[in-house]
Amino acid sequence: MSRSRTTAVTTVKKPAGSDRRGKITGLAVVVMAAGLGKRMHSRQAKMLHPVAGQAMVLYAVELGLRVAGAPVAVVVGHQAEQVRAAIDRAVSGPRGARVLIVEQRKQLGTGHAVLQSRPVFGVGKRGAPSRYLILNGDTPLLQEKTVRELLRVHETARATVTLLTAELDDASGYGRVVRAPSADRSVVRIVEDRDATEAERAIHEMNVGTYVVDGEFLFSALAKLAPSNAQGEYYLTDIVRLAARAGGRIAAVVLDDPDEGLGVNTRRQLAEAEQVVRWQIRDRWLDAGVTMLDPASTWIDATVRIGKDTVLYPNVTLEGTTVIGEECRLRSHTRLTDCTVGNRVEILDHCVCTDSQVEAEARLGPFVHLRPGVVVRKKAKVGNFVEMKNAELGEGSQANHLSYLGDAKIGNGVNIGAGTITCNYDGSRKFQTVIGDGVFLGSDTQLIAPVTVGEGAVIAAGTTVTEDVPAHALAIARVMQVNRAGWASRRRALATAVPGKAAKKLATSQSKKRR
Ligand code: UD1
Ligand code: MG
């Protein structure tokens, strides 16, 4: 299951140090992500549930990649392939090569999960990691600075195990940190909620599930674990007791902000995590120079990027891999998913855009729907009730009213008249419409694809274009107009003379005339 390791790791004895990018050399990471998450009551593995649009597991994976110089092993089990795919999609290139996927076929506990990563680290050999950062995959609020502090304390204390803890008013559900009665109050063990005595349950200090462990100690300790507890599992937390018993030092860092230690086991905790992460994201973009008129109603996924001096109005939603340029203005109730938007673009209210590209100084909305594969070139305009799909609208072109433009390539400086429709679908297949530069399409034009309109051509309003139009030609295809002199006055006169029958009589006389 594992990918080949490409990153060199330092020797066991080398002291902690960091490389140019601040990654700690000799530090490997294990992310535990194999559990189903029974308490979520979901068909989907807990690790795949999104927090701010990003699968939960990615928070730990990204954090690991940022701090550690050595590989990041991710232990997967439930829906392993989907978890692996989510990681592959998000982490590619050289960073992706540093992630090693390890499978835990049966979920026998967190200790067993970490043990599965042993083969990928070359334990006992030259170059094996000197210490491990172990992360629960369900703790998405954990911050990098906290992990770095944990590592610092681990080094200074020369500890065997260093763990992160938090003081909660009510720590129920979590493992409790049991400290020695001695003056130094050192940590002696962790007891899981289900194995705790009444007195232990009253402890307020909980185990966050983030550990730094000495490289030589970790796997020898894991080999000694026994599933002698209420859940019949191999608990990672038991390595604390083993280290203490072997005379090793246990260090602990207590979180200043206990929220950071939130473990997501239930939908309620998922909702809590979502709230916190959403605010972190808003604060990050506010600090980076983005204006939000109503931050609380502005929804920005973790993976979105926004340029400075962009203004977001209330109820804007930015999802997925969306990238917004500088000095843009996005009005209310607009949702962009996986879109790229250039600088100084204005998007008016109520636009829904997916997997599309909008170039600099273009203008969208109100009420525009861009379905996947749309490119709106520089300074182009797409307005009121226009739907586009797999279509390009050239530089400076305009489609301002009530149109459907699908499977179309539209040149520069084109006017798309109100009510234009590309008839791209014959009931079974899709065809393309090509419109050259400078074309003028009158209102209510239908283009029966496949069809090409040559550059500079004019299409008269109300035309159904069924054949290619040569460059600079006029195409007109509509029923000739007939004007009947006096018809309207005659009808009115009849209506006054014989109310009711008038319309009938007039209709009969007209139909006779036509025959
Ligand atoms: C765990 C800790 C508990 C701590 C809490 C913090 C243990 C025994 N308990 O409990 O002390 O207070 O986290 O949130 O470690 N996993 C696997 N394989 C398994 C079991 C779990 O990979 O066989 C993964 C899960 O996917 C999850 C993580 O390990 O990401 C923690 O598992 P979970 O079941 O959530 O443990 P908690 O009961 O929360
Ligand atoms: Mg948990």
Side-chain angles (χ1 to χ4, degrees):
M1 282 291 294
S2 63
R3 296 183 217 160
S4 62
R5 188 169 72 217
T6 57
T7 312
V9 289
T10 53
T11 59
V12 173
K13 298 295 174 205
K14 194 167 175 184
S18 46
D19 67 13
R20 276 176 298 127
R21 293 196 207 102
K23 296 191 201 306
I24 295 164
T25 47
L27 175 72
V29 180
V30 183
V31 176
M32 294 175 281
L36 170 66
K38 282 196 200 96
R39 290 162 281 180
M40 294 289 283
H41 300 291
S42 175
R43 278 200 184 88
Q44 182 172 247
K46 181 166 75 176
M47 290 300 115
L48 294 169
H49 279 265
V51 175
Q54 176 172 265
M56 195 186 308
V57 65
L58 289 168
Y59 288 84
V61 173
E62 293 280 359
L63 178 55
L65 285 170
R66 286 201 298 275
V67 298
V72 173
V74 186
V75 185
V76 298
H78 273 284
Q79 295 169 20
E81 284 315 308
Q82 288 98 309
V83 176
R84 176 204 282 267
I87 295 170
D88 281 349
R89 270 197 304 276
V91 189
S92 54
R95 273 164 25 96
R98 289 178 51 217
V99 178
L100 309 175
I101 304 287
V102 175
E103 197 169 10
Q104 183 192 26
R105 287 183 196 282
K106 276 192 177 164
Q107 284 66 57
L108 302 179
T110 47
H112 180 260
V114 175
L115 189 58
Q116 306 314 300
S117 69
R118 191 179 196 280
V120 303
F121 291 122
V123 175
K125 298 192 186 125
R126 258 179 73 86
S130 53
R131 52 228 175 286
Y132 294 87
L133 167 67
I134 304 174
L135 302 172
N136 268 0
D138 64 355
T139 309
L141 304 184
L142 189 64
Q143 298 293 299
E144 181 177 337
K145 64 174 183 347
T146 305
V147 168
R148 289 192 184 274
E149 172 63 7
L150 196 71
L151 286 156
R152 195 193 59 76
V153 168
H154 182 79
E155 293 301 321
T156 337
R158 296 181 177 279
T160 304
V161 180
T162 303
L163 55 127
L164 187 63
T165 75
E167 293 276 357
L168 298 180
D169 291 342
D170 174 11
S172 53
Y174 290 111
R176 310 297 208 284
V177 179
V178 181
R179 291 185 181 257
S182 55
D184 69 348
R185 306 262 305 120
S186 58
V187 174
V188 287
R189 64 193 171 89
I190 293 167
V191 60
E192 289 306 298
D193 191 71
R194 287 169 68 175
D195 302 297
T197 62
E198 196 79 352
E200 287 164 342
R201 283 211 181 99
I203 296 173
H204 293 285
E205 189 177 11
M206 63 80 120
N207 167 38
V208 169
T210 305
Y211 321 82
V212 181
V213 186
D214 178 76
E216 280 175 293
F217 169 77
L218 177 64
F219 289 102
S220 64
L222 291 177
K224 291 181 196 142
L225 295 180
S228 45
N229 49 59
Q231 303 188 75
E233 288 186 356
Y234 295 88
Y235 287 165
L236 174 62
T237 43
D238 284 347
I239 64 168
V240 172
R241 189 168 37 85
L242 292 176
R245 210 186 282 161
R249 237 175 255 169
I250 317 293
V253 171
V254 185
L255 278 173
D256 290 334
D257 171 12
D259 280 356
E260 212 186 303
L262 177 79
V264 176
N265 300 309
T266 64
R267 303 267 185 168
R268 279 176 189 240
Q269 287 166 329
L270 179 67
E272 268 179 67
E274 180 84 16
Q275 288 298 326
V276 175
V277 174
R278 291 283 175 191
W279 275 109
Q280 287 170 352
I281 295 168
R282 290 175 188 125
D283 287 341
R284 175 149 51 90
W285 292 115
L286 289 165
D287 290 346
V290 173
T291 292
M292 289 173 215
L293 300 190
D294 178 25
S297 74
T298 308
W299 290 74
I300 307 166
D301 278 2
T303 38
V304 165
R305 282 183 288 139
I306 312 169
K308 65 172 187 266
D309 287 321
T310 280
V311 180
L312 305 177
Y313 280 71
N315 295 301
V316 164
T317 302
L318 303 176
E319 295 181 332
T321 54
T322 294
V323 179
I324 312 279
E326 296 183 358
E327 297 176 59
C328 293
R329 192 171 273 266
L330 275 65
R331 305 296 295 238
S332 297
H333 304 288
T334 277
R335 169 157 56 91
L336 305 185
T337 308
D338 300 332
C339 288
T340 306
V341 174
N343 296 336
R344 294 176 297 286
V345 167
E346 179 156 28
I347 304 187
L348 300 182
D349 310 58
H350 294 281
C351 294
V352 176
C353 307
T354 307
D355 199 7
S356 290
Q357 193 187 329
V358 181
E359 291 187 353
E361 292 169 49
R363 189 181 156 129
L364 300 188
F367 299 102
V368 162
H369 188 188
L370 301 187
R371 291 164 51 205
V374 169
V375 181
V376 176
R377 297 278 178 214
K378 270 186 177 166
K379 297 188 179 181
K381 289 184 187 163
V382 185
N384 312 269
F385 303 100
V386 172
E387 173 186 350
M388 294 180 70
K389 182 219 72 170
N390 186 31
E392 177 178 337
L393 184 67
E395 195 170 325
S397 293
Q398 306 195 8
N400 275 331
H401 323 272
L402 300 158
S403 285
Y404 171 64
L405 303 171
D407 301 309
K409 180 153 176 29
I410 301 163
N412 303 333
V414 170
N415 177 75
I416 304 286
T420 294
I421 294 172
T422 54
C423 309
N424 59 332
Y425 185 49
D426 68 358
S428 55
R429 285 178 304 164
K430 302 274 172 76
F431 300 96
Q432 209 196 17
T433 300
V434 179
I435 298 175
D437 293 345
V439 165
F440 181 92
L441 297 188
S443 297
D444 195 23
T445 296
Q446 297 126 51
L447 300 131
I448 314 289
V451 74
T452 299
V453 179
E455 69 173 282
V458 171
I459 311 295
T463 294
T464 301
V465 182
T466 54
E467 284 169 31
D468 288 354
V469 178
H472 307 291
L474 164 75
I476 177 162
R478 58 193 183 206
V479 178
M480 287 298 263
Q481 185 170 326
V482 178
N483 293 337
R484 297 194 193 286
W487 183 94
S489 336
R490 284 202 302 280
R491 185 179 71 163
R492 272 194 296 275
L494 272 166
T496 330
V498 198
K501 288 193 179 162
K504 209 172 166 187
K505 190 164 179 196
L506 189 65
T508 318
S509 79
Q510 288 300 326
S511 81
K512 270 185 196 150
K513 252 186 212 160
R514 248 179 260 129
R515 272 188 247 130

